[in-house]
Amino acid sequence: MRLLLYDMGAYTQHDIMETLDCMGIAYKNILYKLKDVSRDAYFEKRVKELLAQDSYDAVLSVNYYPVLAEICHEKELLYLSWSYDSPLSNEKIKKTLWYKTNYAFFFDRAECVKYWRKGYGNVYHLPLAVNTGRLDKIKLTEKEKQKYRTEISMVGQLYDAQLEVLMTPLNDYEKGYLTGIIEAQMRLYGCYFLPEDLTEEFLTRINDRYEALGQKNIKLGREGLILSVAKHITHMERLLLLDVLSEHYQVQLYGPDNPEKLSRVRWRGSAGYFDEMPRIFKQSRINLNVSLKCTESGIPLRALDIMGCGGFLLTNYQPELAEYFVDGEDLAVYTSLEEAVEKCIYYLEHEEERRQIAQNGYRKVCEQFGYEDRLRTILRTAGLLV
């Protein structure tokens, strides 16, 4: 078997290649930043040249790319994709996903269900994985232990979607409607209703407001509006949680966004995925995961990375987390900001219990979330392995 891999710089690419090496599966990797996921003349030409030069059984990518789907459809070659982003919102995706040459795997089951209901038969649910073998090799010096040691940490963006700017032209009723949706969604975990409440009718009203102001060049799409609101809710939840916890504990934030309003939170800048981030997880007594709201059911990569490092995970409730992990045994789960604070207080005061839970979570991801198992599932489903 020989695979052609497309590498857009995904965090999981290195672990996929390492696993394929261990499985004895040959591949060629193309590292390239697409200018447009649907069309890129240089990239298309390069891929077709490679396919002509050698024989490949399939093309494999992290996330789904319409440009690759088109090429593989034309060449009658299998296209395998495994997405760690959710949801995928490019309109071209929905048009090309029908191709019978596609085998598209999504980590979020709720996203799969939406495709299944529309009749897509080549969409599959597959949780993400973690390379504990790589993470186990990371050993901290005493200096590094001191550098990264903290009570609570979070690694991630703050997702400031500038929703207030978007809402500027709305009247009081429309602003109140949107604010009510945001406040209700913030309080609910495991129930995502933004797509139902942010209707086409409401979107039309917003676009009409912009047009009335002479802003005819601004026209929002429904999926873009939903994503903006979801990011805004995530932004508010992360800020509020960090702010409350920093009143009582040492809290460190790693990410591109400087939280200037959170004076008690220590911002440490961005953390490298392969080098610095595992050290943070290993040396933080509590690692926070606050999922992007539009990830409806799936287990985020960040949660698996934390447990794969042997770190203690405190995360918001996600339906699929509850299928694999037990709250209070493998990790800690909150269903409200108040509960998140309560659990931080409890586990910082119960060190041995916290350590045991982190160890249990580590063992479970080792047993059930390995890359080889996931890749075998992909290849077997596509008929490339028995």
Side-chain angles (χ1 to χ4, degrees):
M1 186 191 309
R2 184 171 175 81
L3 304 175
L4 182 62
L5 309 186
Y6 169 56
D7 183 356
M8 58 83 173
Y11 293 137
T12 57
Q13 191 81 17
H14 174 275
D15 294 324
I16 287 173
M17 290 192 292
E18 181 181 303
T19 305
L20 290 174
D21 287 335
C22 292
M23 295 170 67
I25 295 175
Y27 62 85
K28 182 174 182 61
N29 189 58
I30 312 171
L31 178 61
Y32 180 76
K33 183 69 173 179
L34 278 169
K35 298 176 178 63
D36 183 329
V37 298
S38 299
R39 179 175 296 177
D40 186 310
Y42 171 81
F43 180 72
E44 292 174 47
K45 180 182 178 182
R46 179 62 178 147
V47 171
K48 289 178 180 179
E49 286 175 348
L50 290 171
L51 293 176
Q53 291 169 7
D54 209 338
S55 176
Y56 293 94
D57 295 282
V59 174
L60 171 65
S61 70
V62 176
N63 285 342
Y64 178 89
Y65 296 95
V67 62
L68 285 174
E70 292 282 9
I71 293 171
C72 290
H73 176 64
E74 177 188 328
K75 300 293 183 181
E76 297 184 345
L77 180 67
L78 296 179
Y79 175 40
L80 319 176
S81 62
W82 184 19
S83 296
Y84 73 170
D85 285 335
S86 178
L88 300 182
S89 58
N90 185 281
E91 281 299 319
K92 190 70 172 176
I93 288 173
K94 298 173 184 176
K95 295 178 181 178
T96 59
L97 200 54
W98 290 104
Y99 295 153
K100 293 182 180 180
T101 45
N102 290 332
Y103 285 82
F105 296 82
F106 296 86
F107 84 96
D108 190 303
R109 183 186 286 115
E111 185 171 9
C112 287
V113 169
K114 292 177 181 179
Y115 284 119
W116 293 336
R117 287 173 177 168
K118 293 177 180 179
Y120 290 93
N122 53 353
V123 169
Y124 306 87
H125 173 242
L126 187 67
L128 297 171
V130 61
N131 185 352
T132 53
R134 171 176 59 80
L135 296 171
D136 288 344
K137 295 174 184 177
I138 298 175
K139 307 299 181 184
L140 281 74
T141 64
E142 286 303 318
K143 185 176 181 180
E144 288 174 331
K145 290 178 181 179
Q146 291 296 324
K147 177 181 178 180
Y148 296 111
R149 183 174 290 131
T150 189
E151 291 177 317
I152 302 170
S153 72
M154 190 183 84
V155 179
Q157 299 181 53
L158 292 180
Y159 288 117
D160 188 358
Q162 299 293 316
L163 192 65
E164 293 88 349
V165 177
L166 183 148
M167 292 171 61
T168 301
L170 305 187
N171 63 30
D172 290 342
Y173 170 79
E174 292 156 349
K175 288 179 180 178
Y177 178 78
L178 192 53
T179 299
I181 291 174
I182 290 169
E183 291 179 351
Q185 184 66 85
M186 275 194 70
R187 295 189 181 98
L188 288 177
Y189 293 84
C191 178
Y192 182 64
F193 54 77
L194 291 184
E196 286 72 35
D197 286 12
L198 296 174
T199 62
E200 287 288 354
E201 180 185 356
F202 184 68
L203 176 65
T204 299
R205 295 182 66 154
I206 294 177
N207 283 324
D208 286 347
R209 293 289 177 190
Y210 277 106
E211 188 171 347
L213 292 172
Q215 302 284 348
K216 295 184 178 181
N217 59 322
I218 298 177
K219 191 170 182 63
L220 298 174
R222 185 161 171 266
E223 290 183 343
L225 174 63
I226 293 170
L227 183 59
S228 292
V229 175
K231 286 184 175 181
H232 179 73
I233 293 171
T234 308
H235 172 74
M236 292 174 63
E237 183 177 344
R238 291 184 176 187
L239 282 181
L240 185 56
L241 182 57
L242 291 169
D243 188 38
V244 173
L245 291 174
S246 66
E247 290 183 15
H248 308 285
Y249 300 106
Q250 181 188 51
V251 178
Q252 298 191 5
L253 171 67
Y254 293 82
D257 311 307
N258 185 352
E260 296 177 355
K261 297 178 182 178
L262 305 181
S263 58
R264 295 182 299 269
V265 174
R266 186 179 180 189
W267 179 56
R268 302 291 300 273
S270 296
Y273 182 82
F274 293 100
D275 180 43
E276 195 168 13
M277 198 169 72
R279 289 170 165 81
I280 296 165
F281 296 156
K282 290 171 182 285
Q283 285 301 104
S284 301
R285 295 175 68 194
I286 292 179
N287 293 281
L288 298 177
N289 173 66
V290 182
S291 303
L292 184 60
K293 272 296 179 185
C294 51
T295 300
E296 297 186 45
S297 69
I299 304 173
L301 182 62
R302 185 59 39 81
L304 296 177
D305 285 337
I306 290 169
M307 290 187 283
C309 289
F312 179 89
L313 171 63
L314 174 63
T315 179
N316 60 282
Y317 173 80
Q318 291 285 104
E320 291 180 53
L321 272 171
E323 296 176 19
Y324 291 92
F325 303 98
V326 179
D327 181 25
E329 291 185 15
D330 308 309
L331 75 181
V333 177
Y334 67 85
T335 56
S336 69
L337 292 178
E338 293 79 8
E339 187 179 16
V341 174
E342 290 171 2
K343 290 196 171 182
C344 277
I345 294 171
Y346 178 84
Y347 286 113
L348 288 174
E349 293 177 353
H350 295 78
E351 185 69 12
E352 288 307 312
E353 186 176 353
R354 184 191 64 78
R355 289 179 181 272
Q356 185 60 56
I357 289 172
Q359 190 60 31
N360 293 344
Y362 168 78
R363 279 199 293 265
K364 189 161 283 187
V365 296
C366 285
E367 294 167 359
Q368 300 184 32
F369 289 83
Y371 270 94
E372 182 168 343
D373 174 76
R374 298 292 188 263
L375 288 172
R376 286 190 180 279
T377 297
I378 291 172
L379 297 173
R380 192 179 298 116
T381 302
L384 296 174
L385 282 181
V386 179

